[in-house]
Amino acid sequence: MQAVSPSTSPAAAVATPPAHAQVPPNVARATTEPAWVRRLLIGTALVFLSLFLFVPLVSVFAEAFKKGWDVYVAAITEPDAVAAIWLTLTAAVIAVPLNLVFGVAAAWAIAKFDFRGKSVLLTFIDLPFSVSPVIAGLIYVLVFGLQGWFGEWLMANDYKVIFAVPGIVLATVFVTFPFVARELIPLMQAQGQEQEEAARVLGASGWQTFWKVTLPNVKWGLLYGVILCNARAMGEFGAVSVVSGHVRGQTNTLPLHIEILYNEYQFAASFAVASLLASLALVTLVLKYIVERRVQQELKQSQTSTH
Amino acid sequence: MLFFWKKPFAALVAATLALGAASAHADATLLNVSYDVTREFYKDYNQAFAKHWKQTTGETLTLNQSHGGSSKQAGSVVAGLAADVITMNQASDIDILAERGGLVPADWAKRLPNNSAPTTSVTVILVRKGNPKAIKDWADLAKPGISVVIPNPKTSGNGRYTYLAAWGSVIKAGGKPEQAKALVTQLFANVPVFDGGGRAATTTFAQRNIGDALVTFESEVPLIQSEFSGDYQVVYPKTTILAENPVSVVDKVVDKKGTRKQAEAYLKYLYSDEGQAIAVKHNLRPRNPALLKQYQAKFIGLPTFTVDEVFGGWKKAQADHFRDGGIYDQITAAGRK
Amino acid sequence: MFLSKTLLRRHTVLPGFDLALGLTLLYLCLIVLIPLSAAFLRTTELTWPQFVDTVTSPRVVASYKLTFGTSLLAAVVNAFFGLLVAWVLVRYDFFGRRIVDALVDLPFALPTAVAGITLTGLYAGNGWIGRWLEPLGLKVAFTPVGIFVAMTFIGLPFVVRTVQPILEDMASELEEAAATLGASRWQSFSKVVFPILLPALLTGFALAFARALGEYGSIIFIAGNMPMVSEITPLLIITKLEQYDYAGATAIAVVMLVMSFILLLAINGLQAWTRKRQGK
């Protein structure tokens, strides 16, 4: 059973420096690996990350700027590119909040209660991850396309779902479905129900318990989940490709636009647009860091003020 | 709490919707659903046609383009993508519109001259400068030790044409189907990677320096020469296939939208002098005999055959060769053990 | 209410079960289950012999083996290295640690197609990494090895990010107690720390596995797409669609869905069991 100690509070999750480094030296000696093991582990981790992470990232930017700054700027200010940026943002802005609400509801049900069929539910939630994007797009074509369930009715009433923005949003929602839920669930499971039960026993209503006890505890998991959801929503290629229609300047998202540029042999331009998405990722990571620092400062202040 | 970006994005969404609504009030709009490699051509052609239409009728026409793999695009139109015209590189992709959903009549090909194909191209071989492996014809590509880059015939019209060109070259020289099958088997055993489309295959050949030769459409070659810093030369085989690029109005859509007049004029203009000249500029072979003669240095005359002549039409070719379990599948299963 | 009465195993004071579960189920049905059922229904257009024919053809079976095999391998590698990376990030302080920590999320952010193009460029014969590996005889791009590399890339953050919070939250007293009782570092890790991490590790593994199974954009460029050798199942689904054979495409997809579902269910069940053993 895990003891509720100060190190389980959210602020300690912001490990700067690692909490482990603050223990007295004789304790550290007993609970830390010898230096050579440490260095070996760090080295291995870094080599692994380099091969699979850092080098690809650097090469995106290297390719983007291969033809110089002018080509870079032209690539991202061209009208089709701008239209793609707007469309991508629209899809993300709708998909992420929807999946956020769902994720929180699902995590609450799964982590705080014991019920039959939990594993089955979890597996269904995981399923969109493993569905090939081609199928993810195809199923919506099967439902809303002209040959599908609602196709004739939609065409008769001139509602456009597939090959228009709503279809793209649906495909995006589908592929980013599990992100928030799957970030929150292990975290909420590890935290258990004791704090919420204590709050209830002390007279808090359901909503108060949720807002004031549960949510603050999972702030970081929630933020991670939203960030991942957003990043995937903006970067989704396969599923959107099926439902998009590829009409230039209208139904192309950023990833599709990158493919178009690549197929026109405009490699520097395509990597330029790709670097936009990579930069967005870096920006959100920086934002995450800033928010974490802010909260850590708040916590420090509240601790010094109460002592 | 965390959603400090919610308000500006809500404004973004509203603005996008408003933009969408605004653009709906312009004069007529046509959507041309086309295959992958016609991007550059239609950019120029659309400009020219819009100008011509404005001059002759005074109406402002907005022309939208959609490009992608040919069968995928045709599939999208069948599934409801509202194309006013469809411009493909094999007839079977337009036949499918007639078969599924009756979007065009079954005799669509007869409505315009030359089987409704205003432009054509031929399949040629691209080799490294100096032709170090001395590749001259289809048989050379099938020799052991040669590696040839061809897009996946299962997903690319370009790839299918290559397959049929190699097969047909044997038949046209008097060979039997078994000999053709042997040649094609060896040819495809020499392919190191099957990219999804013609452009991806070109990238593999020119950017990643894989393969001794690339087989693609003649219309692609000048673009490759100009975009890639390496040096390549074109080899015209002794005989090759003529890829006809059929076009059609999508009747169901234009009748609903009321754009039949514009759509038909758009396609007809492809046969006009200006339309054919733009085709020439983008290395598509025109139908206009005078232009062909004028540019015979560019469009080298060589014996060609069509899919109809050698294979009995696209429907039969698809059924015999490319459907699952067809001859292509048999060949690739055998060739890679 | 209805859901509580039928499903809950224990009485609880916490409210909101019906609301939360109801909302979850509704959303799940609308967005996931009903559209997926469209795929199943399309498949029923085939007769049973046709269905079996389609999904047991040699090329399709080879693609199942390839897709599931490499996904599993990539997930295992990610589980091992993900745990290592999480450990290193939480327990040690080194130069650039914070940057590395932030960058771990990158595979999520890069659009799949860009990841595919980038990885292909890197690992091809004339790429930055490929040019060192090829002389050693290791061809990566356009082989199943390339597929493995792409799958490892995209699954990398899953294990790290699910294990990291648990590791950070872990009370150091447990290890200190183990040390005082005479455990070596390795014993302390394997018998005290690892069991606590195991449920999260399994979750991360399942996620990485599921993601690799479903991936298309980042793999299709680096795979050679050679029939029977390096064709992934999603590609076969597309070739079916190219022939306008919707029923055949959904048939292959349905088999993949069912297999994925069973595997994921097994992993999630295992994870639930390990949590129960820890007394949660």
Side-chain angles (χ1 to χ4, degrees), chain B residues 71-72 74-75 93 96 100 152 154-155 160 191-194 207-210 322-324 329 332 336, chain C residues 59 117 120-121 124 126 142 221 223-229 231 235 238-246:
Chain B
S71 305
K72 192 158 168 250
D93 285 330
I96 199 80
R100 305 215 180 171
N152 194 341
K154 286 287 200 166
T155 55
R160 286 191 275 269
V191 178
V193 44
F194 280 114
Q207 180 93 323
R208 309 203 198 289
N209 280 325
I210 293 183
F322 300 117
R323 62 161 174 83
D324 280 349
D329 274 346
T332 43
R336 267 159 223 303
Chain C
R59 234 170 126 186
I117 297 170
T120 311
N126 59 351
F142 312 122
F221 289 98
N225 307 320
M226 316 281 2
M228 309 294 287
V229 174
E231 262 186 335
L235 176 61
I238 290 201
T239 55
K240 285 281 182 195
L241 291 175
E242 284 275 324
Q243 297 162 66
Y244 309 112
D245 182 7
Y246 277 70

Side-chain angles (χ1 to χ4, degrees), chain B residues 19 54 62 138 152 156 195 204-205 228 241 247 265 314 326:
Chain B
L19 269 174
K54 187 94 202 255
T62 312
W138 299 109
N152 194 341
S156 162
D195 286 293
T204 302
F205 176 73
F228 291 98
I241 199 166
V247 302
W314 266 109

